[in-house]
């Protein structure tokens, strides 16, 4: 019985083994190998002609001012977009959990919509709205406000890209926080009320501590997401002006499109390390108690 | 007391107003794309900042399909998405069932591999995945565009979590009646797990339809562009006079997802939970 099931099970899991092997396992090994060679896209025809260069690719990109700038840009995106996205998501979740009783479905669905739509399409729309004489600026000017060149000005391009990232993700945070809020027992709030606690006090004393696991999960998911930010800058600015919106993922893509797959792999590898470290942290910190 | 209630009421009304305004702002891009795609090129050039069309026209949509190759992109995107949904539902169920209900050697190892694959960010592996695809002879083919998405670990995970709740006694009874493993799977397990299959279908459709980085890398020839790649390439080449056309392209990408979202809210809601475990 057991042996027959083993054979059947092998057939059942075969599709996963094939796809996992070809698209996760082998690529992970390849990524490590390529990043220590001098291979380029041109050299892929005769891959064994490539020479081992040790950590030269890593030292090269770490001396590339554009890569350093892309790390700085990615860091700025993470430290601004993650808290903003989470704060918006949490505020909406709290509002839609109890105080708002009517049209809940519409509100939740509407705020979640940006999560499921295509970023290239949305990027084109934002470009149209935020272009020099576009909808946003005509709106601002009609209110008598000054209108910057959002996507062309090195000071405004990154904030605009970040705004798109926040727009895309806060609904996702909202949904996870809503799920977290629903696990908090109502009696806790009742008891606090009896003890004369204000709403602010019950928020600080009950809601936030009880939400801790959710908050941790959301913050790590968002950090991992924004570390890999690519679609938003690719579509809105292509990484410009003056490389101010080139993220690490976009830098990797550019090196790849120049044919420098060795440098692209080295950059990906560094990103993979950071993402891997944060994921490991997630597993350690969020591991269920039992 | 009445003072407290009325101030409470005022607060609630204010909250509704704030949330409603927030929702309106959140959904503004959909208003922009609807109005912009229906403006003529001449109108956009004359007055780029107008929020509403002076005259409605579908010339952008006509141009999109007649003068540009968006019909081809639409067909490519549809084929890739249909293939991805079918393989994720079929294979996801098979692997998920094996991991949830069958006993075999190496089961823990396979499950660990699924969890690992869940955590590896695909955007960090696109270079070696590109090489693998080239070496498999799939570069510049629709199959190559679909390849990394054919079976996502989240599909396996969702089915496994669901199938575990199916009582073992039912499966044993079917086996005692002489049903083979494949019949047990096809006739008993699949029909009982329809909600999980629907969730997998919706999530893999979204993942495939919205995928951008991978198709951008692997589709070098216009003949295999998907809609997002075609739109992104057009958008980088275009100047602002072509906004009407680009916005019409955006509508073509957004509309199927919007319709699905309205029709299948339940499956989307289950998808959140699945993503949450990630």
């Amino acid at each position: 019985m057991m042996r027959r099931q083993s054979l059947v099970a092998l057939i059942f899991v075969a599709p996963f083994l094939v796809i996992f092997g070809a698209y996760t396992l082998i690529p992970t090994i390849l990524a490590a190998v390529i990043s220590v060679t001098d291979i380029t896209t041109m050299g892929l025809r005769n891959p064994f002609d490539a020479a081992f260069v040790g950590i030269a690719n890593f030292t090269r990109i770490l001396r590339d001012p554009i890569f350093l700038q892309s790390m700085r840009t990615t860091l700025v995106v993470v430290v601004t977009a993650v808290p903003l996205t989470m704060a918006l998501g949490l505020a909406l979740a709290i509002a839609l959990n109890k105080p708002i009783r009517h049209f809940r479905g519409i509100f939740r669905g509407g705020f979640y919509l940006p999560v499921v739509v295509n970023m290239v399409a949305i990027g084109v729309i934002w470009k149209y709205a935020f272009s020099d004489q576009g909808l946003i600026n005509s709106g601002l000017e009609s209110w008598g406000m000054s209108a910057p060149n959002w996507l062309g000005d090195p000071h405004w391009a990154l904030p605009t890209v970040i705004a798109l990232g926040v727009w895309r993700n806060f609904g996702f945070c909202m949904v996870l926080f809503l799920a977290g809020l629903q696990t908090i027992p109502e009696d806790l709030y009742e008891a606090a009320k009896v003890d004369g606690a204000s709403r602010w006090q019950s928020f600080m004393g009950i809601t936030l501590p009880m939400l801790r696991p959710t908050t941790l999960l959301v913050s790590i998911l968002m950090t991992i997401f924004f570390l890999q930010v690519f679609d938003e800058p690719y579509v809105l600015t292509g990484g410009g002006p003056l490389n101010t919106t080139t993220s690490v993922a976009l830098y990797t893509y550019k090196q790849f499109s120049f044919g420098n797959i060795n440098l692209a792999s080295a950059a990906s590898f560094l990103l993979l390390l950071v993402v891997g470290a944060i994921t490991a942290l997630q597993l350690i910190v969020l591991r269920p108690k039992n | 007391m009445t003072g407290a209630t009325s101030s409470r009421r005022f607060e609630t009304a204010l909250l509704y107003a704030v949330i409603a305004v927030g929702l309106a702002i959140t959904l503004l891009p959909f208003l922009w794309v609807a109005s912009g795609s229906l403006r003529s090129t001449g109108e956009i050039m004359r007055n780029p900042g107008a929020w509403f069309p002076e005259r409605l026209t579908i010339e952008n949509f006509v141009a999109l399909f007649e003068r540009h190759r968006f019909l081809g992109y639409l067909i490519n995107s549809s084929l890739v998405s249909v293939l991805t949904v079918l393989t994720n539902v079929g294979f996801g169920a098979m692997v998920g069932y094996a991991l949830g209900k069958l006993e075999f050697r190496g089961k823990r190892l396979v499950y660990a591999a699924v969890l690992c694959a869940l955590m590896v960010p695909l955007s960090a592996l696109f270079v070696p995945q590109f090489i693998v695809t080239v070496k498999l002879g799939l570069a510049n083919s629709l199959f190559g565009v679909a390849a990394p998405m054919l079976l996502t670990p989240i599909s396996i995970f969702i089915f496994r979590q669901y199938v575990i709740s199916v009582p073992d006694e039912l499966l044993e009874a079917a086996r005692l009646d002489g049903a083979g493993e494949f019949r047990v799977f096809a006739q008993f397990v699949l029909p009982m797990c329809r909600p999980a299959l629907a969730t997998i279908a919706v999530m893999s459709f979204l993942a495939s339809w919205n995928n951008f980085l991978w198709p951008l890398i692997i589709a070098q020839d216009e003949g295999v562009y998907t809609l997002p790649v075609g739109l992104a390439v057009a958008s980088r080449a275009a100047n602002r006079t072509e906004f009407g056309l680009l916005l019409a392209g955006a509508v073509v990408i957004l509309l199927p997802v919007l319709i699905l979202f309205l029709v299948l809210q339940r499956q989307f809601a289950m998808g959140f939970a699945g993503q949450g475990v990630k």
Side-chain angles (χ1 to χ4, degrees):
Chain A
M1 180 70 203
M2 176 77 186
R3 176 175 285 172
R4 218 195 67 198
Q5 264 207 355
S6 272
L7 193 69
V8 172
L10 190 68
I11 300 172
F12 272 91
V13 295
F16 170 72
L17 298 180
V18 171
I19 293 172
F20 177 77
Y23 279 95
T24 307
L25 190 62
I26 294 174
T28 307
I29 299 165
L30 266 182
V33 173
I34 295 167
S35 64
V36 293
T37 66
D38 64 354
I39 199 165
T40 60
T41 309
M42 296 302 288
L44 275 179
R45 287 206 190 95
N46 305 305
F48 295 105
D49 291 351
F52 175 76
V53 295
I55 58 163
N57 293 323
F58 292 96
T59 49
R60 208 170 130 196
I61 57 168
L62 286 171
R63 269 195 233 115
D64 179 355
I66 299 178
F67 182 69
L68 296 177
Q69 192 182 4
S70 79
M71 290 208 296
R72 220 204 59 168
T73 299
T74 308
L75 190 70
V76 170
V77 170
V78 169
V79 299
T80 53
V82 173
L84 265 175
T85 315
M86 290 180 63
L88 262 175
L90 179 59
L92 282 173
I94 289 172
L96 295 182
N97 188 37
K98 265 184 290 175
I100 298 265
R101 280 172 214 279
H102 307 282
F103 314 113
R104 261 185 198 170
I106 293 174
F107 285 132
R108 287 179 193 179
F111 287 120
Y112 192 73
L113 193 55
V115 180
V116 298
V117 294
N118 182 276
M119 256 320 105
V120 178
I122 296 296
V124 164
I125 302 168
W126 276 55
K127 244 171 122 172
Y128 168 64
F130 283 86
S131 67
D132 205 3
Q133 293 159 9
L135 310 185
I136 298 288
N137 283 358
S138 79
L140 287 179
E141 274 158 11
S142 73
W143 289 79
M145 286 187 265
S146 69
N149 180 2
W150 300 99
L151 296 168
D153 183 331
H155 296 292
W156 283 105
L158 190 57
T160 312
V161 168
I162 290 172
L164 179 54
V166 172
W167 179 83
R168 174 187 187 177
N169 283 298
F170 73 84
F172 179 68
C173 297
M174 172 193 79
V175 165
L176 290 181
F177 278 126
L178 266 169
L181 285 173
Q182 275 152 15
T183 63
I184 304 177
E186 190 54 34
D187 342 351
L188 286 179
Y189 293 105
E190 297 295 333
K193 213 170 179 180
V194 172
D195 288 346
S198 70
R199 271 186 290 172
W200 176 248
Q201 281 168 329
S202 28
F203 173 74
M204 295 302 285
I206 301 170
T207 312
L208 274 190
M210 293 294 282
L211 271 184
R212 221 186 80 103
T214 313
T215 312
L216 217 51
L217 172 72
V218 177
S219 68
I220 290 166
L221 286 178
M222 284 296 107
T223 307
I224 291 174
F225 178 89
F226 281 109
L227 274 173
Q228 302 176 65
V229 65
F230 174 83
D231 298 2
E232 289 88 346
Y234 181 92
V235 181
L236 281 185
T237 59
L242 303 174
N243 286 313
T244 45
T245 58
T246 301
S247 64
V248 173
L250 191 50
Y251 175 89
T252 310
Y253 172 76
K254 283 182 177 174
Q255 287 293 3
F256 169 80
S257 62
F258 298 147
N260 302 328
I261 55 172
N262 53 341
L263 299 180
S265 282
S268 295
F269 202 76
L270 291 179
L271 189 61
L272 195 62
L273 278 185
V274 176
V275 173
I278 291 175
T279 311
L281 188 78
Q282 169 184 19
L283 287 181
I284 294 165
V285 180
L286 294 176
R287 162 162 278 172
K289 290 280 176 337
N290 44 30
Chain B
M1 196 61 207
T2 39
T5 346
S6 79
S7 90
R8 200 72 199 243
R9 266 210 199 127
F10 174 74
E11 256 178 50
T12 311
L14 193 68
L15 187 63
Y16 270 95
V18 170
I19 298 279
V21 170
L23 183 65
I25 294 173
T26 305
L27 298 182
L28 268 184
F30 300 99
L31 170 74
W32 296 335
V33 73
S35 84
S37 62
L38 296 170
R39 297 173 72 196
S40 70
T41 304
E43 210 187 295
I44 293 183
M45 277 176 72
R46 222 175 334 105
N47 185 6
W51 280 51
F52 296 99
E54 293 161 23
R55 187 176 59 82
L56 293 176
T57 167
I58 58 160
E59 67 174 51
N60 296 313
F61 290 92
V62 174
L64 201 63
F65 290 111
E66 283 189 349
R67 282 193 278 113
H68 297 264
R69 300 180 64 174
F70 270 75
L71 187 60
Y73 307 155
L74 177 62
I75 293 171
N76 290 346
S77 268
S78 308
L79 288 176
V80 169
S81 295
V82 167
L83 177 67
T84 308
V85 168
L86 289 178
T87 54
N88 271 286
V89 169
F91 293 153
M94 281 167 66
V95 182
Y97 170 66
L99 290 176
K101 284 294 180 196
L102 298 180
E103 289 309 322
F104 58 97
R105 246 190 292 158
K107 180 174 165 175
R108 297 184 65 141
L109 191 68
V110 174
Y111 187 53
V114 172
L115 294 182
C116 277
L118 258 179
M119 291 177 303
V120 173
L122 287 183
S123 66
L125 285 180
F126 72 81
V127 175
Q129 286 178 336
F130 170 79
I131 295 171
V132 167
T133 312
V134 170
K135 291 288 171 194
L136 289 173
L138 297 174
N140 256 333
S141 72
L142 287 180
F143 195 74
V145 172
M149 310 284 288
L150 286 178
L151 177 55
T152 58
I154 190 79
S155 302
I156 299 173
F157 193 77
I158 290 173
F159 197 84
R160 178 192 176 269
Q161 298 305 88
Y162 198 89
V163 82
I164 282 178
S165 65
V166 172
D168 282 324
E169 294 76 24
L170 278 176
L171 305 181
E172 282 309 321
R175 283 183 192 125
L176 286 178
D177 281 350
E181 283 303 326
F182 294 99
R183 254 192 67 196
V184 171
F185 174 69
Q187 283 193 344
F188 295 90
V189 177
L190 284 186
M192 274 189 278
C193 297
R194 266 196 217 114
L197 297 178
T199 304
I200 296 172
V202 168
M203 289 188 64
S204 51
F205 171 77
L206 280 183
S208 168
W209 187 261
N210 288 339
N211 200 5
F212 176 53
L213 178 58
W214 176 252
L216 179 70
I217 281 158
I218 204 68
Q220 319 250 314
D221 182 64
E222 219 183 325
V224 289
Y225 279 5
T226 57
L227 279 171
V229 177
L231 184 63
V233 170
S235 155
R236 301 198 83 173
N239 55 34
R240 84 170 97 209
T241 61
E242 286 166 280
F243 264 132
L245 190 78
L246 297 176
L247 292 171
V251 170
V252 173
I253 299 183
L254 295 174
L255 212 51
V257 174
L258 290 182
I259 293 171
L260 265 188
F261 189 70
L262 289 178
V263 179
L264 298 174
Q265 287 237 7
R266 234 179 81 81
Q267 275 71 33
F268 277 81
M270 286 184 61
F272 315 151
Q275 282 181 317
V277 214
K278 222 170 138 182

